[in-house]
């Protein structure tokens, strides 16, 4: 019988290094051509697989072309948000495994966040149930860094590097005038404040901007915020405030929903805008100061120029480790990161039971958030700093712009 | 009598290379130490100068420190938005020239956009009027590229490189799902569409996203826009639309003001948000598609990682050329760029009468905008492509993030 084939898919929102994880899986699989036959990719995740959209990496990205994955943001294979049914008796499962058998799949990889680990969990449990020998592993990715049982997730370091770099640039840009002004920077992370906390890395010296940092882990109080800003003007006329998109008051109500009670668009629908915009208006009206808000938006997860070399290398490492682990017979696991030491920073890969991981959220420890709720402690900086290190050289195309690889 | 001293200031909104122009002026002045005494900087422009906030570059940025200016966004010297009075009989003029005399200033440089050239115009005219031998030159800068009598302005190339790179990343990020979705990218440039037009450089191949590009030079029609988007879905489920912040309808009304008639915040004030947010809501309500908007915001003018090497080199060149020109006795002029050829791209510096430049706006030629009003012609690409070339290596600090130089 022919050697078993490997298939890999990507799922959920992309990151700047989700394709580096893919590169790790594919290149390591090629290195084991004595044990692995074809290396397939499912286009648009498990949903695409069900629709028979599949590619063969040896044909699609031969030779050096594969290298470009490491500096291409977005999900090369495309993504989906398809959730497998809870009931393992659902007919989709035999349909999937029938396809696996037809394609002689022995190894299944899914690169993604929480929901993707749920898919890994279900497929591995179903495989066990029907006594299939298909092995299923999950490769973590998420800029939100909210997966448990891993020191951090691939994708977070690059997003944190983007946030730290960009906030530092915004601080420099905003400091050119002498008049009192506030800039609100709205950062991704609805339930977990890891990325917003990373804005503290932007400080060039102790006491530098951003003066105020608010995470969703702590209830947000509008009146306290206004006082915090007023106090900050004692330090400088230019005040930079970093807020998570998910900040909410003590009742749990999101700050970004404060204005939607009032503002409606011409269709009578609620206006959808972020908390940054709300706070900007609030400052203008209550403190009578110049205010501006900047929503970092999707650039946080797709900037190629701020890919962290450490993050990129670790994403590749996780991919390679996964292939070695699956060839060792592991299934139903997620590749995890174990920090051996902070200084010098040393990291190894581990394996964790995927059933313990999916559908859970790791938030920033309250002990890493300042007592006043508007800054982070040194422990967070010690944790985050190694993850944003290293500049990646992005290859340019004939037009002088980043050369990204893409499906035709 | 001692050699005359030189003073330089920055004014208006900063760019990614306004400090490169400063570097050019200061380093070239140092190279002429046989003709120029002290090289001073006015902190916060002419307004700061009036308040005696001045620094001496030899002391502030000795040796290698000066080099960091070339990769530091924002205005190192700080900026102001102070407009000198129209009436040259105003007492501020003798006050200024009294200060110049006390400091033995012989050469005055102002780096800025339209309003700054107005300052150069007034100072040089006043100098002539009182028969002062102080020479006054203007160094152009603006991401908007809207100064006349110059091929382009320093600052535009880097901002255009940021726009092209970021739009390309957003295209990649948005293309991972199969469901119909529109992403609106809102780009700076209220009256001139140069930066928005640069989003066309993002295309990786002919027919690639962004499918639609709207400049303020053409009236925007909401119904035509909706039809344009619907037609674009024939090409791809993911449609990227780039719009200038200043798009307006045939009556001249800004699209970003459409919703402010209706939406008010909790204080009863008009909600301030961009045209991107309005169009996003419009698409969701009228076409029933997923829609998102990304406002590129100040990152366009302060991103260090996307500084165009060409733009940086030209900004330095303009600074150096200015010093040579002022030593040749020129005054009341702005340094301009003259394009000698497109291919190979060759540029030289020239001098233009500043009185002809100030208070005018250069917009994108209608012949460079497509007939349908939703794209740009090849001529624009030929013009813009050379300006965004080259990646700059940004030095990193001990924390692994861009090392910017700043005043203490």
């Amino acid at each position: 019988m022919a050697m078993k084939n490997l298939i890999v898919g990507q799922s959920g929102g992309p990151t700047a290094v989700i394709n580096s994880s893919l590169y790790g899986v594919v290149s390591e699989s090629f290195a084991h051509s004595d044990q692995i036959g074809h290396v397939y990719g499912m286009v648009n995740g498990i949903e695409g697989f069900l629709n028979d959209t599949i590619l063969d990496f040896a044909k699609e990205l031969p030779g050096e072309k594969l290298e470009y994955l490491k500096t291409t943001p977005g999900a090369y294979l495309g993504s989906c948000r398809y959730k497998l049914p809870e009931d393992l008796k659902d007919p989709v499962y035999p349909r999937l495994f029938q396809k696996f058998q037809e394609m002689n799949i022995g190894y299944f990889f899914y690169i993604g966040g929480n929901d993707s680990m749920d898919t890994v969990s279900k497929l591995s449990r179903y495989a066990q149930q029907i006594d299939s020998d298909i092995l299923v592993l999950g490769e973590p990715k998420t800029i939100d860094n909210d997966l448990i049982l891993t020191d951090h997730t691939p994708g977070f370091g690059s997003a944190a590097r983007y946030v730290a770099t960009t906030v530092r640039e915004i601080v420099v840009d905003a400091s050119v005038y002498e008049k009192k002004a506030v800039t609100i920077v709205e950062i991704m992370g609805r339930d977990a404040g890891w990325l917003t906390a990373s804005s503290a890395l932007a400080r060039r010296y102790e006491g530098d901007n951003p003066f105020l940092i608010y995470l969703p882990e702590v209830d947000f109080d509008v009146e306290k915020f206004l006082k915090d800003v007023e106090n900050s003007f004692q330090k400088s006329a230019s005040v930079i405030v970093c807020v998570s998109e998910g900040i909410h008051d003590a009742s749990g109500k999101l700050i970004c929903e404060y204005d939607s009670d009032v503002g409606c668009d011409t269709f009578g629908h609620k206006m959808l805008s972020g908390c940054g915009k709300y706070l900007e208006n609030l400052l203008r009206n209550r403190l009578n100061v110049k205010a501006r808000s900047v929503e970092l938006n999707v650039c946080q997860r797709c900037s190629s120029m701020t890919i962290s070399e450490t993050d990129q290398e670790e994403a590749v490492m996780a991919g390679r480790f996964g292939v070695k682990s699956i060839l060792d017979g592991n299934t139903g696991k997620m590749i995890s990161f174990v920090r051996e030491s902070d200084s010098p920073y040393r990291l190894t890969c581990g394996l964790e039971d995927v059933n313990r991981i999916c559908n859970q959220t790791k938030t920033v420890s309250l002990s890493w958030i300042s007592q006043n709720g508007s800054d982070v402690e040194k422990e967070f900086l010690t944790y985050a700093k190694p993850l944003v290190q290293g500049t990646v050289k992005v290859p340019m195309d004939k037009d002088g712009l980043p050369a990204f690889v893409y499906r035709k």
Side-chain angles (χ1 to χ4, degrees), chain A residues 119-158:
Chain A
T119 298
V120 172
S121 162
K122 284 165 180 161
L123 290 180
S124 60
R125 282 187 282 131
Y126 184 79
Q128 194 180 22
Q129 195 174 292
I130 64 164
D131 226 13
S132 159
D133 54 2
I134 289 178
L135 305 173
V136 187
L137 286 187
E139 292 282 350
K141 79 80 220 170
T142 166
I143 62 163
D144 292 331
N145 197 36
D146 60 354
L147 295 185
I148 63 164
L149 298 182
T150 183
D151 180 76
H152 60 277
T153 56
F156 170 63
S158 294

Side-chain angles (χ1 to χ4, degrees), chain A residues 205-224:
Chain A
Y205 49 84
E206 213 169 302
D208 191 16
N209 261 311
F211 293 148
L212 301 168
I213 298 173
Y214 300 97
L215 314 188
E217 280 81 356
V218 176
D219 295 338
F220 187 86
D221 183 285
V222 160
E223 297 304 322
K224 178 184 171 295

Side-chain angles (χ1 to χ4, degrees), chain A residues 144 188-189 191-198 215-217 244 363-364 380:
Chain A
D144 292 331
M188 278 180 167
D191 303 312
W194 296 102
L195 264 186
T196 306
S198 305
L215 314 188
E217 280 81 356
S244 157
T363 55
V364 178
F380 172 79

